[in-house]
Each structure stands twice: as C-alpha cells, then as structure tokens.
Amino acid sequence: MVLSGISEEIAIVENDNQAVCYMTPLHQEDNLIVHRFSLQSNEEFIPKPITLAWKFQARNVQGVWKPTADFSKRIEADWELQNHESRISIDAPVMALFGSDDANRLCFSCSNAINRIELSAKYREEDDHFYCKVVLFTECRYPLKEFTMDIRLDYRNIHFAQSLREVSAWWASYESLKPTYVPDIATRPLYSTWYQFHQDLEEKKLLQECSMAKKMGFEAIIIDDGWQTEDNSRGYDHTGDWNPEHFEDFASLIKDIQKLGMKVGLWYSVPFCGVKSKAYQRFKGKFLTENHRWAPVFDPRYPEVRQYLVQTYVQAVKNYRLDGLKLDFIDDFKSYPETSFDWEGKDTLSINGAVDRLLSEITSELKKLNPEIFIEFRQKYTGPAIRKYGNMLRAFDCPGDYIMNRVRIADIKMIAGDTAVHSDMVTWHKEEDVEIAALHYLNTLFGVPQISVMLSEIPASHLRMISFFTRYWSENKDILLSEAFYPKSPSENYPVLYAQKGGRKIIGLYSDHFISVQGNEKSVDIINSRCSPNVVVLAENPAEFKGVVFNCCGEIVQEFNGALKEGCNLLTLPNSGILKMKMCG
C-alpha cells in the first residue's frame, strides 16, 4: 500500500513474508506526518526483513544527523551500504537531514526502540534525491504473529534541535517508553575514579579526593572498575561475583564517603561473567557467547540469569547503602554467531526483549529500596528505551578529547528530554596550562560535568579553575540544562552552543564564529572557550549593559559599562574566561 507524503511517497518496497502488512495514516498536518505500520498473521512465523522506503528532494541539505555520528554529519551516497542501527542498547531510531541554516529538512523516527531497526538516508546522484529507508526484522530469529510500529516524518522549517526535542517528547508519549523519574542528585556535578585511579584504587587517597571534591562542589562519586578485584590488568576475567575483595571493609568506606556529604554509586559491567569467577561455573551454558574478547556474556533470556543479576544489585544497594549504580556494557547483549535460539530453559527468545525485562526488573527493585537512586548508562545506549531505566546518560569515553565530549553531550541532549545528560569524565595532564585545562571543563558545561583528575596532585590554579566553573555551573544549571538548547552548525562540530530560560541566555563559544545577541534578553553570559581573546558579537538592536569579566580561575579582571551597536561588535575576553552582561533598560 502506498501513502502520499509531503513531497514524495512512502511504501512497503520489500516484503517476502506470507503476512498482511499495511500502513495507516494517523496524523498529517503542518508538514508533520505519522504513519502506522502493521503486520498480522494467522500463525506464528519468523519474519524476513521488510523495507519501507520513500525519497526526498535534495534541496538545502547540508548534512545528516544520527545519534552517535560524532564528527561525521556528512551526506552518504546510496552506494555506501551501511545503515544506522537502532535497538534497545544501541542508539535511537531517528535520523535528521539539516540545512545550511541549521533548519530541519526531514527528521524521521520510529516508535519501536526495543527491536533492531535499520534507518538510512542516502544521496542518489542520478536524480539528486535522498532515498530514505526503514528496515525491520533484520535480526529477528524468533516467531511472532503481529507487529505494530509508528513512523514519524517531520518536514517543518524549524531548528533541527527543536525537531529532535519533539521526537523525544513523541517517544515519551508512548506508555512503553515512559521515562523514569530523575532525582536531583542526577543533575549534580560528579567525581569519577576511572581515569586517574583505573583499577588501582587506594582507600586513603580516595577519601582524600572525595573530601576535596565535595568542597569544590561535587555532590556524588562513582567508584569505577577496580573496587571488586585485586587484579589490575584492565581485564574482565574476575567480573560476575562482585565481591569487594580490594577493600577490607567496603561498607565502612562507603559510609565514610557519605559522611563527607557525597552520594556514592558503584560500577558494574552487567553482561560480563569472567572465566575466573564462581558465577562462570554456575551459569555455564547460559551465555550468549563465550568468545567475546573480554569475557563470556550472560544470556538474559534465562530467568535465573536475570534473577541473579537483579539480586546482585539489590544486595549491593542494601549491604552498602548505595545511592547509585553505573550499569555498563549492555550493548554487548546481542546475538552472536553461536547464540542459540532454542527454547530450552528460556522464557523468551528475544534478546532485546529480555534486556528490556532485565532492566525493568532492576529499576523496579532498586526503586523499592531507594526511590532517589541514580542509575547511569553511557553512549551508545542512550536512546528512548534506556530512559525507562536510567536517569543519567553519559557521553562515551573520550579521554583528553574535549571537542568530542562537547559534540557527544549535545547529540545526546537533543533527544534526552529531561533525563540528565553527563559529560564523559574530563581528564588532563597535571602540568597543563590552566587556560588549556579549562577547555576540558568548559566543553562540558551544557551537560552535567563529571571530572576524573587526581585533585591532590594538580596545581592550585587548576583547583581554583575547577571550583570557579563548578560554582558557576551550579548557579546556572537551570539555564544550562534547559530544553531551550540550540547547537549551531552540526557539520562543524557545534562551534557555538546556547541555552536560554526566563530571558537569560548563556552562550558557549568554542571556535572562531560570531555569536548573536537579541534585543529582549535580560542577561547574557558569554563563555570564551577558546585560545583567542577576540569575540565577535552580532547585535540585533543597540543595547547597553553592565559587564563583569572573569578569567578561568574566577578572578574579576574587568567591570565596566558597555554598549552594543546594532550589527557587528568586537569584544575582548580572557582565554577560557566569561563575560557576564546584565542588560540595562
């Protein structure tokens, strides 16, 4: 069946199944269309891939946005065969074509965020069109009788970030994708042990670091890999039992950190069951694979496996009175060449469905113990399904790469709704110039900052810088975390970010671009996250303001009464500094 769209037609172009497939229009107004795809069969069958396709004129399309494209927002030709993959623990079922003015050209998304779906928008040189596809059932190896999914096509001329935000709200409108509650602690700066300690955790030093971090404005800590084993080889052979053999009295350590006023979370690699663990012997034969490069992978389709994992986290939260968990590596729950799809001992054959059940059970049980518990997941598992269980979504590891951190925070944030979006924990060399070290922190400010440097070993200037920006972030987090968030020029890695709320605006300048100031703003903060003092401001109207300039250590270097003329203005700010402008009148 073929339906008429805004500019072209959407159709089922590939279907080799002996089942009834049809599409129903649900909404079509103001260049926004929603279709419902349905499949029905009288008998259960294992479906073959089904492709839905349409084309779109390649007019004013500068690039293609995908949830984890990182630096590559480029246009792909139709002879490039790889598609964007989405499933419960990988990415999100959405793609967006944007124009040279950051306007949305076509944003398309799917309501099913559990099963694997492939999406693509490829340029065909023969007729200068984008050929768009949604491919279903590419890895389905279990029988079904029916399937329903909605497809949303947004052609409206709005900022591409607004289109993506509305996709997030659309996902959240489905009961099956209703986001979990976000406690306040999930929106507070966090100290992580990973990059500075790795697996060599030292109790005395850890307490010293927590004491310093708390005084600098960090409200929580995640104790990462290393707490559970004496092995420090960076491997996963000892995962699965989760006994804190590295510490004599782990409960006391947690209590001592909490006495400092910090919330405490623990890291777990959820799917891994190391060959040197007792759990490996107990669950032999109940793995998705034993050929993973790191460790055998639990098969969550076995109810006893899910029960074991749930009880592991429940007992840890009980025993140590934990405030949070970091649940890692769930993207390794997937089908492997040797994965069995027989029913023996399993209560479902769907791996993605089993992961959904596992994470739902974990969340439900943990919230019974602590309704305010924070649960972190990291990229690429930051899609709408993960918002059902996690209230913190973190940028994927990018140590030392502050540009990547900024890009990943922005990409997650546009589709995360009110779920807290965290930076990858920032780290830098302790002998770095303070203005350069500040760049690592400044690139996190439109998310929730995480830091992972040895505070007791960095210079005093670095400590002042961290304290200043942490205090600034906390004082302005309602703006920085506002949904009115707009990244500029995705093809150029978002050289300008801004957020606004209640007439207040914060602009992050990360490259040599001009920034814009409107006529109706009460205050504007300009963060000069660059190694250049010259800032070009394009003013919509003349405006007078009172300005305060801070360097990266929080010292006031200038206070003045200033004026912006209509058009182009040149300001001078310290490298990695901030100008706070309070508009007059």
Side-chain angles (χ1 to χ4, degrees), residues 91 142 161 297:
D91 279 335
Y142 53 90
V297 177

Side-chain angles (χ1 to χ4, degrees), residues 103-117:
N104 171 61
R105 299 294 293 129
L106 166 62
C107 180
F108 64 99
S109 50
C110 303
S111 64
N112 189 307
I114 304 295
N115 304 106
R116 175 170 167 161
I117 298 173

